RNA sequence: CGGGAGGUAGUUCAGCCCGGUAGAAUACCUGGUUUGGGACCAGGGGGUCGCAGGUUCGAAUCCUGUCCUCCCGACCA
């Protein structure tokens, strides 16, 4: 009967799985590492996608679609990119099956149908896209190209986790081409800001903007900018990346343009993406032991109304009042569901919608009708209030806005309390072990030191924040001079 | 990919050691009573025991292989 949720304290990983599965977001599938996104989870993704899509278009981008398959020869063109992804590529080698002569009703791969050139299932689309851009670009007048695609990609990960790391996932990838370095850098930064705005204003997820260290950089990029979020277990999660690709892909694919001085130049590039991983971030950042807590601005369902009645007569009277409320809410663009299903009792419904993270619940019974009131309950704090029926639409409208703000503030307070500056190695280790979160520490800037720190503590440099002030110091591990603090954390 | 655990009804699980043809709770269906924080009574339907081989008169149970999931580790643009 009860869908028990493992508590965070008991087993954080299991708690996360419980929320995703029992909250109805996704299910495991028959395919290793691949999940089924269920309607409720997909509705959440659609809401996120729609907002982002509008933000991309408002910043001048257009959508396009490129093939799922990348010929191996194209894939290997940009060496670092190819190397970085090679270990996790699914590869198509054949194009036909045939019936098994030795096993009736079974199929085997037809050995005579081997492809002359293998096709890589895209783990990211730079290669196929830059091979296409080559044909689109002749002159500076063809630039910039500002294109995004919504797609699925495949990365054959060793160990997968629902939403956080699946072998196939949905994402968007923007790929832009520019005539100058300055413009490309500006684009890289602009799109990171779009992501940060989306995370903070829609997902209620505070993020830190910064640049990756060399060893965490995207394969093939000159610089990788990122937004980093903090989960409730003190681990960091990269919520989005925006890459300045320099002329690496232009050179690999011979993409040149004629400038105003009639000279050939290589094109400057960016790419940027966020994925269904954001749903994992959303779940882990906000939810509690009773289930999901979804921010109103992207929740698939913002308000649920539960009637409490004895007999059809009462139910009819309640429904009449509820219908007026529904019209009022819908007129304000608020999504609402009236759950008058007779199979489940109110208590069951309360628990169910709390598990699914519906931001606001209204409950109305005969007692309320007499007094012309209704009960308003908010998911994030579990607070309940009784309000007059004729004000409930406005109250809910405001409450949804309040919840959105409160969720952000709560997450931000937690995040801010978990950015700890440290000045010694002992302190560094102690904070990571006992407190978690981000640790702001001096680092000598070398990959060797970063690796050594990772080996000893599992913590990596999440980013060098854009707003980090310059400050002379000494590296916590090597003792060498440092120009400023960087943020370390254990990460997903 | 290494170590550990697991896969039996929609779900959670028992049965397996010691082989004899599958059970509980819950969910579901019907009827009734109920309904302010996961209701109750009565009746009913539902499972090729992950899949494929093997051993055996007989396999959920024993053996082999394989797929999938979870946890820890390695990996993670």
């Amino acid at each position: 009967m009860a869908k028990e949720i493992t508590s965070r304290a008991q087993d954080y990983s299991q708690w996360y799985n419980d929320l995703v599965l029992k909250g109805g977001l996704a299910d495991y599938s028959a395919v290793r590492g691949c999940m089924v996104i269920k309607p409720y989870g997909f509705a959440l993704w659609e809401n996120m996608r729609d907002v982002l899509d509008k933000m991309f278009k408002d910043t001048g981008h257009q959508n396009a679609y490129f093939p799922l398959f990348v010929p191996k020869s194209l894939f290997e063109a940009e060496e670092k990119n190819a190397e970085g992804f090679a270990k996790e590529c699914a590869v198509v080698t054949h194009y036909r099956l045939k019936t098994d002569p030795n096993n009736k009703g079974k199929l085997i791969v037809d050995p005579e149908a081997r492809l002359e050139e293998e096709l890589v299932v895209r783990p990211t689309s730079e290669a196929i896209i830059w091979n296409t851009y080559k044909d689109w670009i002749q002159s500076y007048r063809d630039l910039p190209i500002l294109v995004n695609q919504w797609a699925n990609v495949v990365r054959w990960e060793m160990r997968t986790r629902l939403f956080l790391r699946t072998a196939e996932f949905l994402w968007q990838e923007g790929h832009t081409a520019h005539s100058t370095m300055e413009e490309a850098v500006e684009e890289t930064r602009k799109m990171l800001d779009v992501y940060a705005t989306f995370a903070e204003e829609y997902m209620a997820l505070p993020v830190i903007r910064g640049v990756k260290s060399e060893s965490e950089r995207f394969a093939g990029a000159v610089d990788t900018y990122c937004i980093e979020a903090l989960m409730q277990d003190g681990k960091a999660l990269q919520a989005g990346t925006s890459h300045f690709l320099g002329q690496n892909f232009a050179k690999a694919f011979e993409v040149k343009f004629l400038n105003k001085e009639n000279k050939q130049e290589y094109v400057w590039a960016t790419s940027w993406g966020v994925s269904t991983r954001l749903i994992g971030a959303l779940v882990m950042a906000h939810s509690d032991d009773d289930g999901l807590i979804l921010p109103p601005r992207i929740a698939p369902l913002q308000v649920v109304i539960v009637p409490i009645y004895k007999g059809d007569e009462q139910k009819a009277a309640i429904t009449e009042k509820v219908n007026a409320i529904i019209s009022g809410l819908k007129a304000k663009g608020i999504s609402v569901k009236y759950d008058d299903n007779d199979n489940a009792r109110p208590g069951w419904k309360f628990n169910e919608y709390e598990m699914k993270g519906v931001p606001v619940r209204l409950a109305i019974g005969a007692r309320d009708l007499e007094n012309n009131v209704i009960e308003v309950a908010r998911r994030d704090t579990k607070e309940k209030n009784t309000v007059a029926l004729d004000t409930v639409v406005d109250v809910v409208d405001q409450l949804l806005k309040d919840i959105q703000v409160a969720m952000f503030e709560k997450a931000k307070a937690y995040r801010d309390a978990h950015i700890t500056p440290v000045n010694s190695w002992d302190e560094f280790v102690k904070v990571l072990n006992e407190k978690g979160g981000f640790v702001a520490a001096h680092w000598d800037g070398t990959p060797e030191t970063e690796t050594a720190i990772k080996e000893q503590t599992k913590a990596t440099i999440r980013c060098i924040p854009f707003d980090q002030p310059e400050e002379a110091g000494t590296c916590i591990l090597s003792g060498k001079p440092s120009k400023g603090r960087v943020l370390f954390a254990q990460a997903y």
Side-chain angles (χ1 to χ4, degrees), chain A residues 66-67 69-79 81-82 85 120 122-134 149 173 175 218-219 245 249-250 252-255 271:
Chain A
F66 295 86
F69 302 115
V70 185
K72 189 165 74 75
S73 57
L74 289 186
F75 186 76
E76 63 201 7
E78 209 295 323
E79 218 174 316
N81 185 249
F85 284 104
V120 176
R122 62 179 169 214
T124 181
S125 301
E126 277 79 4
I128 190 78
I129 286 178
W130 277 89
N131 185 62
T132 308
Y133 282 180
K134 179 170 62 178
Q149 88 165 342
E173 46 182 326
H175 295 274
F218 177 76
L245 303 174
F249 284 88
F253 290 92
E254 277 300 315
V255 188
S271 69

Side-chain angles (χ1 to χ4, degrees), chain A residues 137-143 178-180 247 255-268:
Chain A
I137 299 168
Q138 313 294 329
S139 138
Y140 73 92
R141 295 178 197 277
D142 296 323
L143 297 171
H178 306 265
S179 52
T180 64
Q247 295 174 311
V255 188
K256 292 180 185 171
F257 70 100
L258 215 47
N259 67 15
K260 287 180 187 172
E261 285 79 46
N262 202 31
K263 285 183 184 158
Q264 294 274 351
E265 277 187 61
Y266 284 111
V267 172
W268 297 87

Side-chain angles (χ1 to χ4, degrees), chain A residues 263-288:
Chain A
K263 285 183 184 158
Q264 294 274 351
E265 277 187 61
Y266 284 111
V267 172
W268 297 87
T270 83
S271 69
W272 27 273
V274 296
S275 71
T276 36
R277 188 180 214 208
L278 284 178
I279 294 178
L282 194 63
V283 169
M284 283 200 294
H286 297 305
S287 304
D288 64 20

Side-chain angles (χ1 to χ4, degrees), chain A residues 426-446:
Chain A
D426 288 347
E427 226 185 323
F428 182 81
V429 172
K430 188 168 185 249
V431 169
L432 278 175
N433 287 339
E434 292 173 13
K435 183 178 172 188
F438 293 110
V439 183
H442 281 281
W443 162 60
D444 62 21
T446 67

Side-chain angles (χ1 to χ4, degrees), chain A residues 335-352:
Chain A
S335 59
V336 54
K337 173 181 172 181
Y338 178 41
D339 188 353
D340 62 348
N341 185 344
D342 202 35
N343 290 344
R345 297 173 46 159
W348 191 91
K349 292 175 185 172
F350 293 168
N351 283 291
E352 181 68 13

Side-chain angles (χ1 to χ4, degrees), chain A residues 13-84:
Chain A
S13 294
Q14 192 55 48
W15 167 78
Y16 173 78
N17 287 330
D18 282 354
L19 291 195
V20 171
L21 297 170
K22 293 170 183 173
L25 299 178
D27 254 334
Y28 296 114
S29 76
V31 188
R32 177 194 202 103
C34 298
M35 64 177 173
V36 174
I37 304 175
K38 296 177 76 176
Y40 191 64
F42 203 79
L44 181 57
W45 175 240
E46 284 176 316
N47 286 347
M48 296 165 74
R49 192 190 61 187
D50 291 349
V51 173
L52 284 166
D53 198 64
K54 178 157 192 314
M55 293 173 95
F56 298 156
K57 286 171 181 164
D58 286 347
T59 45
H61 302 85
Q62 292 180 295
N63 285 331
Y65 188 80
F66 295 86
L68 167 68
F69 302 115
V70 185
K72 189 165 74 75
S73 57
L74 289 186
F75 186 76
E76 63 201 7
E78 209 295 323
E79 218 174 316
K80 279 187 179 152
N81 185 249
E83 238 181 69

Side-chain angles (χ1 to χ4, degrees), chain A residues 198-464:
Chain A
F198 173 74
E200 302 199 327
E201 293 185 5
Y202 289 84
M203 296 174 64
L205 185 69
V207 293
I208 294 167
R209 300 167 216 208
V211 59
K212 287 290 188 191
S213 65
E214 185 189 332
S215 52
E216 295 277 324
R217 190 180 296 154
F218 177 76
V222 173
D223 257 325
T224 288
Y225 300 162
C226 62
I227 51 172
E228 292 285 328
L230 188 63
M231 303 296 104
Q232 292 182 57
D233 61 347
K235 285 170 85 172
L237 188 143
Q238 177 180 299
T241 48
S242 185
H243 314 293
F244 170 58
L245 303 174
Q247 295 174 311
N248 291 347
F249 284 88
K251 285 177 180 166
F253 290 92
E254 277 300 315
V255 188
K256 292 180 185 171
F257 70 100
L258 215 47
N259 67 15
K260 287 180 187 172
E261 285 79 46
N262 202 31
K263 285 183 184 158
Q264 294 274 351
E265 277 187 61
Y266 284 111
V267 172
W268 297 87
T270 83
S271 69
W272 27 273
V274 296
S275 71
T276 36
R277 188 180 214 208
L278 284 178
I279 294 178
L282 194 63
V283 169
M284 283 200 294
H286 297 305
S287 304
D288 64 20
D289 290 348
D290 294 320
L292 298 170
I293 300 179
L294 300 177
R297 292 188 86 176
I298 52 168
L301 180 65
Q302 294 171 307
V303 178
V304 65
I305 305 177
V306 177
I308 301 158
Y309 55 87
K310 296 177 184 164
D312 290 343
E313 207 172 304
Q314 277 189 7
K315 185 177 175 182
I318 290 168
T319 299
E320 194 190 325
K321 295 285 185 192
V322 166
N323 284 338
I325 297 169
I326 291 173
S327 314
L329 290 173
K330 282 189 175 165
K332 286 184 179 285
I334 295 167
S335 59
V336 54
K337 173 181 172 181
Y338 178 41
D339 188 353
D340 62 348
N341 185 344
D342 202 35
N343 290 344
R345 297 173 46 159
W348 191 91
K349 292 175 185 172
F350 293 168
N351 283 291
E352 181 68 13
Y353 292 108
E354 276 166 14
M355 187 153 60
K356 299 199 114 175
V358 179
V360 172
R361 181 189 71 230
L362 304 178
I364 179 164
R367 209 165 70 197
D368 300 309
L369 283 188
E370 275 176 35
N371 300 318
N372 253 323
V373 296
I374 189 165
E375 182 187 82
V376 179
R378 56 189 284 181
R379 174 63 183 93
D380 63 332
T381 60
K382 296 279 201 82
E383 256 177 278
K384 290 192 270 193
N385 278 302
T386 302
V387 309
L389 263 183
D390 56 4
T391 65
V392 68
V393 170
D394 290 332
V395 168
V396 168
D397 188 33
Q398 185 57 46
L399 183 58
L400 288 169
K401 293 176 180 131
D402 293 347
I403 291 171
Q404 184 76 34
V405 172
M407 286 179 67
F408 177 77
E409 292 301 333
K410 185 181 176 190
K412 186 167 184 299
Y414 176 83
R415 197 275 312 273
D416 289 346
H418 287 80
I419 301 176
T420 314
V422 305
N423 296 307
S424 73
W425 178 249
D426 288 347
E427 226 185 323
F428 182 81
V429 172
K430 188 168 185 249
V431 169
L432 278 175
N433 287 339
E434 292 173 13
K435 183 178 172 188
F438 293 110
V439 183
H442 281 281
W443 162 60
D444 62 21
T446 67
E448 292 74 25
T449 300
E450 187 178 358
T451 304
I453 291 172
K454 184 180 178 181
E455 277 167 8
Q456 293 182 50
T457 63
K458 290 186 203 163
T460 51
I461 297 174
R462 301 321 303 156
C463 71
I464 303 149

